[in-house]
Amino acid sequence: IFKRCFMRAINIIAGLIYILFVAMPVFALNQQELAETKNKALAGDIIAQVDLGDYYDGQNCQEALKWYKMAAEQGQFDARMRIATYYVFGRCDGKIERNILKGYVLYSKIQQQYTLYPESQKALDKQILDLEQELTAEQLQEAEKQINMPWSF
């Protein structure tokens, strides 16, 4: 019974994180707006990069990930959180495979470097603890090394 309740709690928390950070409403742009947003994004505008990630999310996850990575490399929180969530849950029917180690490392870096609202912090802390349970001792050692290294997406 405990294991079943524990797994149900994990699924609820995972669902909340997914809703908060991945299942964004479809971001609509007409062709002119799309071209303008791409130009801004290519010029380094992190908001435009996240907007393009949101635009492509759900229709072309590799393209969405490309734009999220550009923003994340510049320190943009939402992009970093979306990338971590992509890896924790996997996306696009396996086109972006679940990678618990990478998701754990990214969530842990977010936990260390950003101040979140208390409810969000609790959910993130819980997700990290749950992921720890899925990692082997060797993976946890590797994760600790990666957590202390510069960001890598």
Side-chain angles (χ1 to χ4, degrees):
I1 277 184
F2 174 76
K3 185 176 181 181
R4 193 171 56 213
C5 290
F6 179 73
M7 292 307 294
R8 176 173 271 162
I10 288 173
N11 288 334
I12 290 170
I13 291 168
L16 289 172
I17 289 174
Y18 178 83
I19 290 168
L20 288 172
F21 297 107
V22 176
M24 303 305 229
V26 174
F27 190 81
L29 294 172
N30 65 40
Q31 290 304 310
Q32 181 180 349
E33 292 169 329
L34 180 59
E36 290 170 1
T37 304
K38 279 187 179 180
N39 287 336
K40 289 179 185 176
L42 290 169
D45 184 323
I46 60 175
I47 301 303
Q49 292 165 348
V50 172
D51 286 349
L52 285 172
D54 291 345
Y55 175 79
Y56 287 109
D57 188 29
Q59 55 181 313
N60 183 340
C61 289
Q62 293 296 339
E63 188 71 10
L65 190 59
K66 175 182 100 174
W67 293 108
Y68 288 143
K69 284 180 178 181
M70 284 184 188
E73 287 167 357
Q74 296 181 71
Q76 212 282 339
F77 170 80
D78 294 325
R80 287 179 171 182
M81 195 66 180
R82 286 183 180 103
I83 293 168
T85 305
Y86 267 32
Y87 288 119
V88 169
F89 297 105
R91 292 284 289 154
C92 299
D93 300 323
K95 290 179 183 166
I96 298 175
E97 292 186 16
R98 187 169 194 237
N99 184 330
I100 298 168
L101 176 62
K102 191 162 193 151
Y104 174 81
V105 168
L106 293 174
Y107 274 167
S108 297
K109 286 176 173 278
I110 290 166
Q111 181 188 49
Q112 288 178 354
Q113 295 184 11
Y114 294 94
T115 302
L116 305 175
Y117 290 108
E119 298 82 19
S120 298
Q121 187 65 54
K122 285 181 190 175
L124 180 61
D125 293 346
K126 176 74 171 122
Q127 185 66 43
I128 290 170
L129 288 173
D130 293 343
L131 290 171
E132 280 181 9
Q133 302 301 312
E134 296 185 55
L135 296 171
T136 66
E138 293 81 21
Q139 288 174 315
L140 285 169
Q141 287 177 342
E142 177 60 29
E144 288 305 316
K145 291 178 194 173
Q146 292 181 28
I147 289 167
N148 296 314
M149 295 176 72
W151 285 86
S152 173
F153 304 99

